[in-house]
Amino acid sequence: MVYSAGILVYRYTTGHLEVMLAHPGGPFWAKKDDASWSIPKGIIEDGESTQEAARREFNEETGVTIDGNLLELGSIKQSGQKTITAFAVCKDIDASKIQSNTFEMEWPPKSGKMQVFPENDKAQWFSIQEAKKKIFKGQFGFLEKLISLLDYIEPTAQEKPAETQMSFFD
């Protein structure tokens, strides 16, 4: 069994909950979008606590250090061979500036050429509705747990703030 840990970062923008997800790098993921985004996460190393691993992996995969208290989202068994434990933290991060660690692989296959790819090629903020479409299906439960713990209810169209129109003649 492989154990990994990660952090789901969230923020509120004009009353709406958003989460930041990372898109895996490398040629296999290059043209994939729906059900292809992830919580920044990675394998827990020997002697490392789950929280320490989650913070380290988040930093390696985004270049951002997470300090402070983490909200535990629990664990999900994924693919039968991996268990992921996730935490959440409220933090506003410039997703366009993430810097991920890299990995090396032979590409194209059987070419003998080794290429370096970022572990995550980008990060992006998503509304909860959009994140449910983008996140790996095996991590979907973490979104549900976050919504539950925050007691978040998506505002309806009637509850959304009206746009203000200004006129120079008023």
Side-chain angles (χ1 to χ4, degrees):
M1 182 70 70
V2 175
Y3 295 93
S4 66
I7 299 175
L8 178 60
V9 176
Y10 67 94
R11 70 180 181 187
Y12 291 96
T13 57
T14 58
H16 295 276
L17 179 63
E18 294 182 332
V19 294
M20 190 185 83
L21 300 175
H23 186 267
F28 179 77
W29 298 104
K31 295 181 181 178
K32 294 181 175 25
D33 190 45
D34 285 350
S36 299
W37 293 70
S38 178
I39 297 168
K41 60 169 184 46
I43 296 173
I44 300 169
E45 295 178 358
D46 288 339
E48 191 174 42
S49 76
T50 308
Q51 278 199 23
E52 288 169 338
R55 291 176 196 275
R56 176 185 50 75
E57 285 291 338
F58 191 89
N59 180 262
E60 288 177 4
E61 295 192 8
T62 66
V64 176
T65 300
I66 298 292
D67 296 318
N69 295 329
L70 297 175
L71 180 64
E72 187 165 351
L73 298 178
S75 299
I76 293 176
K77 194 171 187 178
Q78 188 176 13
S79 306
Q81 298 296 324
K82 181 187 262 187
T83 298
I84 303 168
T85 300
F87 301 90
V89 67
C90 186
K91 186 175 179 80
D92 194 6
I93 295 170
D94 185 345
S96 69
K97 294 185 178 176
I98 69 145
Q99 293 183 344
S100 180
N101 55 345
T102 59
F103 68 94
E104 188 176 51
M105 67 181 279
E106 182 180 16
W107 190 258
K110 301 179 183 179
S111 67
K113 295 180 184 178
M114 297 301 286
Q115 291 194 43
V116 175
F117 299 97
E119 198 161 331
N120 291 309
D121 57 15
K122 59 187 166 189
Q124 188 172 326
W125 288 98
F126 295 102
S127 69
I128 289 297
Q129 296 254 338
E130 191 66 15
K132 287 178 179 181
K133 297 175 197 167
K134 300 294 183 185
I135 199 165
F136 287 126
K137 296 300 179 208
Q139 296 177 22
F140 187 89
F142 293 131
L143 296 177
E144 293 294 320
K145 182 69 173 187
L146 179 67
I147 291 165
S148 174
L149 289 174
L150 297 178
D151 200 22
Y152 178 75
I153 299 171
E154 184 72 20
T156 64
Q158 292 86 8
E159 295 171 336
K160 292 179 182 174
E163 290 185 32
T164 305
Q165 294 184 349
M166 298 178 67
S167 168
F168 291 109
F169 302 107
D170 287 340

